[in-house]
Amino acid sequence: MEIGMLPISASKRGKLLAAGYTTLHSIATTSITHLATDIEVSESEALEILNFATRNSALERSSGSNTNVIQGGQTAWDMLNEERFSSSITTSCADLDNILGGGINCKEVTEIGGVPGIGKTQIGIQLAVNVQIPLDYGGLGGKAIYIDTEGSFMVERVLQIAEACIEDMSEYSHHFHKDNQAYGVKMHPNSILENIFYFRVCSYTEQIALVNYLDKFVTEHKDVKIIIIDSVTFHFRQDFEDMALRTRLLGEMSLKLMKLAKNFSLAVVMLNQVTTKHVEGSFQLTLALGDSWSHSCTNRIILYWNGDERHAYIDKSPSLKSASAPYSVTSRGIRNSTSSSKRIKMV
Amino acid sequence: MANKLINQLGLPKSIANIFAARNIITAKAALSLTEFELMELLDVGMTEVTFAMAHISEVVCPPCQTALLLMEQRVRNESLAGHLPTRLKGLDEALCGGIPFGVLTELVGPPGIGKTQFCLKLSLLASLPVNCGGLEGRVIYIDVESKFSSKRLIEIGTKSFPEIFHKKGMAQEMAGRIMILRPTSLSEFAESLHRIKVSLLQQQVKLLIIDSMAALVLGEHDSGASRQQALGWHVSFIKSLAEFSRIPIVLTNQVRSQIGDESLMYSFQARSHSTKEDTPVTFDSHLVAALGINWAHAVTIRLVLESKSGQRFIKLAKSPISPPLAFPFNITASGIVLLDDNGIEMKGPEINNIHCQGLSLRFLVIRSVECILSEHKNFFGKIKP
C-alpha cells in the first residue's frame, strides 16, 4: 500500500487510512486544512504529510518522460563521466593497484578479509598514510579516519610506514625533478600522524553510534577521504544471541557507510575476520558475519596465503575482473612481492 | 559510555519522555534497534528518530584523537614509549622495545618448552626498579595450573641480576610485588578480573600474566558454541582491561594437533585446487595453537615457542610491528637466553606451525603428567613443579 511508504508514524498512517486516504494521489490533491480536519492533526503536521506525499507522487508522474530528471537519480552517462574523474588511493603495491583498477576507489565500500597475520591491519595503515600523498605526487592530499575496534593500531608501525612513504616521495621527486629544487618534499612524519583521526571503539553500541556520528564529523572535516574500520567484525562476534537483530544492525550500518562514501566522495574500507563453514562435507574458510553481510559491500577482497606468498583475490566487484595479485609486507609497509614468478593470475 | 541514561543526554524533553514510555532507558537499548524499528516502536516520524539518534550517537561515540597525539602521550607518559623490555636483545629490537602495553601478547607452545619460564622472568622484570630497566610495579600472576615456583623465581633473579638480589631485603621486596592468584574455575577467574580492574590503578599494577588461558577455558565447557561464547566474553573484557590501564597482558596457550592433512582453504581456492594434480602428502606432523581462530584474531602479538631437531626457537608468528623472525634459545639458570640476536626470517604461513621434535622424551612425559595432574589437583592435592 502506498501510504506505507511515507516516513511518518504508524498512528498517523492508521488515521489516514481510516479517513479514506488510500493513495498518495488522494493526499496530494487535497488541501492542508481538509487534511488536518479529516485526520485530526495540526496544520503543520498536515503540511509535512502533504510534502512527503507530493514528493513521492512527483516521482510517479515523471517516470514516463525522458526530459524530466527524477529527483535523486542520475543517468548512466553522467555517472560514466563522473567515474572518469573519480579518484583512487594507491596501496603502494603496483600489482595490487593494477587489479583494483588504480587502487581503492573513492565513493565505494570495499571489504578486505583474511586470516590472522595476513596483513589486514598493515593494508589499513598503509591506506591511511597513502591517502595523504599530495596531489603533486598523484595522491589525494586527504585525511584519514581510523576506527579501531581491536586495539591493533600500533603507532610505532604507523611511524615506520609514514617515514618510508616520505622517503619514497623524495626519491620520486629526485628522479623526475632533478633540476627543480622547489620539488623537495616538505612533509614530516609527524604531520602524517596528525592527519589520521583515531577512534577506539569498545563495544558494538559505540561502533553504531560512531557510524551515526560520522556524518557530522565528515561535514566538519571535509578533507577526510578514507574511513578504515579495523575490524568491523570483532564486537559483533561476541554476545549476540539474536542473530536476526545482528543482521539488521549490520545492514543498517553498511547502508549508512555507503551513503557516506557516496555523499562525501570518500573510500570506506572495512576489514573483516574469517571463520569456518561446513560446505559439501568439508570445512572451508569464509569471511565472518554471515551470508547477508556479504551482500553489504560493493567490493570484496580476500587476502590469503598461496604457498609462501601473500596474495589478494577480488572475490566480488561490479566492475573489476576476478583476479589475484601477490603482495608483500615489508618493514616499509605494503610493497610488491619480490618473487620473480608470473605476476597477476586471472582466475 | 553506552550505559548512559537517555534522560541525561540533553535530548528535548518530549522525545526523551517517549523513549522512557517505551522502556528504552539506556543509550545502548536505543542503539540496539534499527531506526526503522524505533520509528515503529516510538510511533514518531523518521525525522524525529534521526535527530534523536544523531544526538544520542554523538554523546555515546568515543572521543576523537589523532595518531600524533597517541604517540606523544606514550612517549611522554610511558617507559620506552609503552614497552616492557624482555632483556632478549633480538626480540626487543624486533618488538620496537619490548612487550607492548595495552594489547594482548600470547605465548603458545608444547608443554615443557619454556612458557612459564618466560612468564617468571617477565614478572621479575616488571618488578625491578626503573633504573635497572624495570617498571617498578606490582605484578598479578594468574596461575591456573599451579606452575608458579617462587624458588625458581628467586634463582632466575639472583643469576640474572646479581647486583640487585644480593642487596639485603631486595629479593623479598621484588618477590613481594608479585601477587599470585589461583582460580579454579572460569567464573572464579571472571570474578577476580573484576576485582583486578578495580585495584589496577590504585595498586600500581604494571603487568598481568595469565598462565594458562587454555587450561581455564578448555577445562570447563564442551567444545562448540558455548565455549566460544564464554571465551569471547572473557577476551573482550581482558582486552578492554589492557587498554584502559595501558599495561602489558601476557597469556599462555596450549597446543593441539592439526586436524587433517590439508590446511583450510577458501571456496575459490578449492575450485582451482581440484584441477591440479594431487600434491604429495607430507608427513611433517605439527601442532597448532589451541582455542581456535577467533582467539587467533583477538591476540595482537603471538610468540610461538617450539622445538625443531632438538633446538628450541621463539618465533614472532603474529605482530603488526615486527618482521616474521625466529630466534633460537635455551633455558639456563637465569631463564631464557637467545643464542642469536639476529633471528632467522621466515617466509609464509610456516611460522605459525608448531613443532615438537627433539625435546627429550623423558622430559616431555614428566611435563605432560604434571599438566594432567594439575587438572585433577583437587584429587591429588597440590603439586610442586
PDB file of all heavy atoms in Angstrom, chain B residues 31-52:
ATOM      1  N   LEU B  31      20.437   2.119  20.725  1.00  0.00           N
ATOM      2  CA  LEU B  31      21.318   1.828  19.605  1.00  0.00           C
ATOM      3  C   LEU B  31      21.216   0.385  19.163  1.00  0.00           C
ATOM      4  O   LEU B  31      21.727   0.019  18.111  1.00  0.00           O
ATOM      5  CB  LEU B  31      22.770   2.159  19.982  1.00  0.00           C
ATOM      6  CG  LEU B  31      23.051   3.648  20.058  1.00  0.00           C
ATOM      7  CD1 LEU B  31      24.332   3.910  20.814  1.00  0.00           C
ATOM      8  CD2 LEU B  31      23.143   4.236  18.663  1.00  0.00           C
ATOM      9  N   SER B  32      20.560  -0.462  19.964  1.00  0.00           N
ATOM     10  CA  SER B  32      20.429  -1.861  19.575  1.00  0.00           C
ATOM     11  C   SER B  32      19.212  -2.111  18.706  1.00  0.00           C
ATOM     12  O   SER B  32      18.855  -3.248  18.444  1.00  0.00           O
ATOM     13  CB  SER B  32      20.338  -2.749  20.813  1.00  0.00           C
ATOM     14  OG  SER B  32      21.444  -2.560  21.620  1.00  0.00           O
ATOM     15  N   LEU B  33      18.561  -1.044  18.281  1.00  0.00           N
ATOM     16  CA  LEU B  33      17.429  -1.193  17.370  1.00  0.00           C
ATOM     17  C   LEU B  33      17.721  -0.384  16.118  1.00  0.00           C
ATOM     18  O   LEU B  33      18.354   0.664  16.196  1.00  0.00           O
ATOM     19  CB  LEU B  33      16.145  -0.651  18.009  1.00  0.00           C
ATOM     20  CG  LEU B  33      15.625  -1.426  19.204  1.00  0.00           C
ATOM     21  CD1 LEU B  33      14.530  -0.652  19.901  1.00  0.00           C
ATOM     22  CD2 LEU B  33      15.090  -2.777  18.765  1.00  0.00           C
ATOM     23  N   THR B  34      17.255  -0.859  14.983  1.00  0.00           N
ATOM     24  CA  THR B  34      17.456  -0.063  13.770  1.00  0.00           C
ATOM     25  C   THR B  34      16.514   1.132  13.813  1.00  0.00           C
ATOM     26  O   THR B  34      15.536   1.132  14.566  1.00  0.00           O
ATOM     27  CB  THR B  34      17.151  -0.873  12.501  1.00  0.00           C
ATOM     28  OG1 THR B  34      15.765  -1.239  12.526  1.00  0.00           O
ATOM     29  CG2 THR B  34      18.009  -2.102  12.418  1.00  0.00           C
ATOM     30  N   GLU B  35      16.792   2.153  12.997  1.00  0.00           N
ATOM     31  CA  GLU B  35      15.974   3.368  13.061  1.00  0.00           C
ATOM     32  C   GLU B  35      14.543   3.086  12.623  1.00  0.00           C
ATOM     33  O   GLU B  35      13.612   3.702  13.140  1.00  0.00           O
ATOM     34  CB  GLU B  35      16.618   4.459  12.193  1.00  0.00           C
ATOM     35  CG  GLU B  35      17.842   5.018  12.893  1.00  0.00           C
ATOM     36  CD  GLU B  35      18.480   6.169  12.165  1.00  0.00           C
ATOM     37  OE1 GLU B  35      17.977   6.556  11.099  1.00  0.00           O
ATOM     38  OE2 GLU B  35      19.490   6.671  12.675  1.00  0.00           O
ATOM     39  N   PHE B  36      14.383   2.153  11.723  1.00  0.00           N
ATOM     40  CA  PHE B  36      13.021   1.813  11.301  1.00  0.00           C
ATOM     41  C   PHE B  36      12.239   1.206  12.462  1.00  0.00           C
ATOM     42  O   PHE B  36      11.077   1.532  12.696  1.00  0.00           O
ATOM     43  CB  PHE B  36      13.082   0.831  10.123  1.00  0.00           C
ATOM     44  CG  PHE B  36      11.749   0.556   9.527  1.00  0.00           C
ATOM     45  CD1 PHE B  36      11.168   1.451   8.654  1.00  0.00           C
ATOM     46  CD2 PHE B  36      11.056  -0.601   9.857  1.00  0.00           C
ATOM     47  CE1 PHE B  36       9.920   1.198   8.114  1.00  0.00           C
ATOM     48  CE2 PHE B  36       9.818  -0.860   9.321  1.00  0.00           C
ATOM     49  CZ  PHE B  36       9.241   0.049   8.443  1.00  0.00           C
ATOM     50  N   GLU B  37      12.921   0.293  13.197  1.00  0.00           N
ATOM     51  CA  GLU B  37      12.257  -0.336  14.336  1.00  0.00           C
ATOM     52  C   GLU B  37      11.885   0.703  15.384  1.00  0.00           C
ATOM     53  O   GLU B  37      10.824   0.631  16.002  1.00  0.00           O
ATOM     54  CB  GLU B  37      13.181  -1.386  14.967  1.00  0.00           C
ATOM     55  CG  GLU B  37      13.279  -2.651  14.151  1.00  0.00           C
ATOM     56  CD  GLU B  37      14.436  -3.522  14.594  1.00  0.00           C
ATOM     57  OE1 GLU B  37      15.208  -3.106  15.482  1.00  0.00           O
ATOM     58  OE2 GLU B  37      14.588  -4.612  14.034  1.00  0.00           O
ATOM     59  N   LEU B  38      12.767   1.675  15.596  1.00  0.00           N
ATOM     60  CA  LEU B  38      12.488   2.728  16.570  1.00  0.00           C
ATOM     61  C   LEU B  38      11.275   3.537  16.135  1.00  0.00           C
ATOM     62  O   LEU B  38      10.434   3.900  16.961  1.00  0.00           O
ATOM     63  CB  LEU B  38      13.697   3.661  16.705  1.00  0.00           C
ATOM     64  CG  LEU B  38      14.790   3.195  17.651  1.00  0.00           C
ATOM     65  CD1 LEU B  38      15.971   4.126  17.571  1.00  0.00           C
ATOM     66  CD2 LEU B  38      14.270   3.156  19.079  1.00  0.00           C
ATOM     67  N   MET B  39      11.221   3.812  14.847  1.00  0.00           N
ATOM     68  CA  MET B  39      10.085   4.596  14.330  1.00  0.00           C
ATOM     69  C   MET B  39       8.773   3.883  14.632  1.00  0.00           C
ATOM     70  O   MET B  39       7.800   4.482  15.080  1.00  0.00           O
ATOM     71  CB  MET B  39      10.270   4.762  12.816  1.00  0.00           C
ATOM     72  CG  MET B  39       9.377   5.802  12.202  1.00  0.00           C
ATOM     73  SD  MET B  39       9.792   6.066  10.486  1.00  0.00           S
ATOM     74  CE  MET B  39       8.845   4.801   9.698  1.00  0.00           C
ATOM     75  N   GLU B  40       8.779   2.564  14.388  1.00  0.00           N
ATOM     76  CA  GLU B  40       7.569   1.782  14.663  1.00  0.00           C
ATOM     77  C   GLU B  40       7.263   1.752  16.150  1.00  0.00           C
ATOM     78  O   GLU B  40       6.133   1.918  16.585  1.00  0.00           O
ATOM     79  CB  GLU B  40       7.768   0.342  14.181  1.00  0.00           C
ATOM     80  CG  GLU B  40       7.932   0.195  12.679  1.00  0.00           C
ATOM     81  CD  GLU B  40       6.630   0.378  11.932  1.00  0.00           C
ATOM     82  OE1 GLU B  40       5.729  -0.456  12.102  1.00  0.00           O
ATOM     83  OE2 GLU B  40       6.522   1.371  11.206  1.00  0.00           O
ATOM     84  N   LEU B  41       8.291   1.551  16.955  1.00  0.00           N
ATOM     85  CA  LEU B  41       8.094   1.360  18.384  1.00  0.00           C
ATOM     86  C   LEU B  41       7.639   2.646  19.061  1.00  0.00           C
ATOM     87  O   LEU B  41       6.746   2.646  19.908  1.00  0.00           O
ATOM     88  CB  LEU B  41       9.416   0.876  19.006  1.00  0.00           C
ATOM     89  CG  LEU B  41       9.366   0.478  20.466  1.00  0.00           C
ATOM     90  CD1 LEU B  41       8.491  -0.723  20.645  1.00  0.00           C
ATOM     91  CD2 LEU B  41      10.766   0.192  20.972  1.00  0.00           C
ATOM     92  N   LEU B  42       8.285   3.766  18.694  1.00  0.00           N
ATOM     93  CA  LEU B  42       8.011   5.018  19.391  1.00  0.00           C
ATOM     94  C   LEU B  42       6.860   5.787  18.768  1.00  0.00           C
ATOM     95  O   LEU B  42       6.402   6.771  19.342  1.00  0.00           O
ATOM     96  CB  LEU B  42       9.258   5.919  19.363  1.00  0.00           C
ATOM     97  CG  LEU B  42      10.524   5.329  19.936  1.00  0.00           C
ATOM     98  CD1 LEU B  42      11.662   6.301  19.745  1.00  0.00           C
ATOM     99  CD2 LEU B  42      10.342   5.062  21.419  1.00  0.00           C
ATOM    100  N   ASP B  43       6.453   5.342  17.601  1.00  0.00           N
ATOM    101  CA  ASP B  43       5.321   5.995  16.941  1.00  0.00           C
ATOM    102  C   ASP B  43       5.603   7.465  16.637  1.00  0.00           C
ATOM    103  O   ASP B  43       4.798   8.344  16.888  1.00  0.00           O
ATOM    104  CB  ASP B  43       4.064   5.851  17.816  1.00  0.00           C
ATOM    105  CG  ASP B  43       2.794   6.064  17.012  1.00  0.00           C
ATOM    106  OD1 ASP B  43       2.860   5.947  15.771  1.00  0.00           O
ATOM    107  OD2 ASP B  43       1.760   6.370  17.616  1.00  0.00           O
ATOM    108  N   VAL B  44       6.782   7.727  16.114  1.00  0.00           N
ATOM    109  CA  VAL B  44       7.126   9.086  15.681  1.00  0.00           C
ATOM    110  C   VAL B  44       7.665   9.006  14.270  1.00  0.00           C
ATOM    111  O   VAL B  44       7.938   7.922  13.766  1.00  0.00           O
ATOM    112  CB  VAL B  44       8.200   9.736  16.581  1.00  0.00           C
ATOM    113  CG1 VAL B  44       7.656  10.039  17.946  1.00  0.00           C
ATOM    114  CG2 VAL B  44       9.423   8.876  16.657  1.00  0.00           C
ATOM    115  N   GLY B  45       7.810  10.169  13.641  1.00  0.00           N
ATOM    116  CA  GLY B  45       8.281  10.188  12.257  1.00  0.00           C
ATOM    117  C   GLY B  45       9.775   9.942  12.151  1.00  0.00           C
ATOM    118  O   GLY B  45      10.515   9.992  13.128  1.00  0.00           O
ATOM    119  N   MET B  46      10.204   9.714  10.909  1.00  0.00           N
ATOM    120  CA  MET B  46      11.619   9.394  10.663  1.00  0.00           C
ATOM    121  C   MET B  46      12.531  10.551  11.035  1.00  0.00           C
ATOM    122  O   MET B  46      13.634  10.338  11.544  1.00  0.00           O
ATOM    123  CB  MET B  46      11.795   9.035   9.178  1.00  0.00           C
ATOM    124  CG  MET B  46      13.143   8.383   8.867  1.00  0.00           C
ATOM    125  SD  MET B  46      13.603   7.068  10.002  1.00  0.00           S
ATOM    126  CE  MET B  46      13.787   5.704   8.920  1.00  0.00           C
ATOM    127  N   THR B  47      12.101  11.773  10.759  1.00  0.00           N
ATOM    128  CA  THR B  47      12.966  12.916  11.060  1.00  0.00           C
ATOM    129  C   THR B  47      13.249  13.013  12.544  1.00  0.00           C
ATOM    130  O   THR B  47      14.387  13.282  12.956  1.00  0.00           O
ATOM    131  CB  THR B  47      12.360  14.253  10.592  1.00  0.00           C
ATOM    132  OG1 THR B  47      10.944  14.139  10.682  1.00  0.00           O
ATOM    133  CG2 THR B  47      12.784  14.574   9.181  1.00  0.00           C
ATOM    134  N   GLU B  48      12.226  12.763  13.372  1.00  0.00           N
ATOM    135  CA  GLU B  48      12.464  12.849  14.815  1.00  0.00           C
ATOM    136  C   GLU B  48      13.423  11.754  15.266  1.00  0.00           C
ATOM    137  O   GLU B  48      14.308  11.981  16.098  1.00  0.00           O
ATOM    138  CB  GLU B  48      11.153  12.714  15.612  1.00  0.00           C
ATOM    139  CG  GLU B  48      10.286  13.953  15.574  1.00  0.00           C
ATOM    140  CD  GLU B  48       9.106  13.760  14.648  1.00  0.00           C
ATOM    141  OE1 GLU B  48       9.270  13.029  13.642  1.00  0.00           O
ATOM    142  OE2 GLU B  48       8.056  14.341  14.925  1.00  0.00           O
ATOM    143  N   VAL B  49      13.225  10.562  14.710  1.00  0.00           N
ATOM    144  CA  VAL B  49      14.097   9.451  15.106  1.00  0.00           C
ATOM    145  C   VAL B  49      15.539   9.758  14.715  1.00  0.00           C
ATOM    146  O   VAL B  49      16.466   9.587  15.513  1.00  0.00           O
ATOM    147  CB  VAL B  49      13.640   8.130  14.437  1.00  0.00           C
ATOM    148  CG1 VAL B  49      14.673   7.057  14.636  1.00  0.00           C
ATOM    149  CG2 VAL B  49      12.316   7.688  15.004  1.00  0.00           C
ATOM    150  N   THR B  50      15.726  10.232  13.493  1.00  0.00           N
ATOM    151  CA  THR B  50      17.088  10.521  13.041  1.00  0.00           C
ATOM    152  C   THR B  50      17.732  11.586  13.904  1.00  0.00           C
ATOM    153  O   THR B  50      18.905  11.476  14.276  1.00  0.00           O
ATOM    154  CB  THR B  50      17.088  11.006  11.577  1.00  0.00           C
ATOM    155  OG1 THR B  50      16.059  10.335  10.881  1.00  0.00           O
ATOM    156  CG2 THR B  50      18.410  10.711  10.909  1.00  0.00           C
ATOM    157  N   PHE B  51      16.973  12.606  14.232  1.00  0.00           N
ATOM    158  CA  PHE B  51      17.504  13.685  15.071  1.00  0.00           C
ATOM    159  C   PHE B  51      17.897  13.156  16.444  1.00  0.00           C
ATOM    160  O   PHE B  51      18.999  13.416  16.943  1.00  0.00           O
ATOM    161  CB  PHE B  51      16.460  14.797  15.201  1.00  0.00           C
ATOM    162  CG  PHE B  51      16.797  15.799  16.265  1.00  0.00           C
ATOM    163  CD1 PHE B  51      17.783  16.751  16.056  1.00  0.00           C
ATOM    164  CD2 PHE B  51      16.155  15.782  17.507  1.00  0.00           C
ATOM    165  CE1 PHE B  51      18.114  17.666  17.036  1.00  0.00           C
ATOM    166  CE2 PHE B  51      16.482  16.691  18.497  1.00  0.00           C
ATOM    167  CZ  PHE B  51      17.466  17.638  18.258  1.00  0.00           C
ATOM    168  N   ALA B  52      16.999  12.360  17.052  1.00  0.00           N
ATOM    169  CA  ALA B  52      17.290  11.839  18.391  1.00  0.00           C
ATOM    170  C   ALA B  52      18.500  10.920  18.355  1.00  0.00           C
ATOM    171  O   ALA B  52      19.388  10.991  19.211  1.00  0.00           O
ATOM    172  CB  ALA B  52      16.066  11.089  18.928  1.00  0.00           C
TER     173      ALA B  52
END
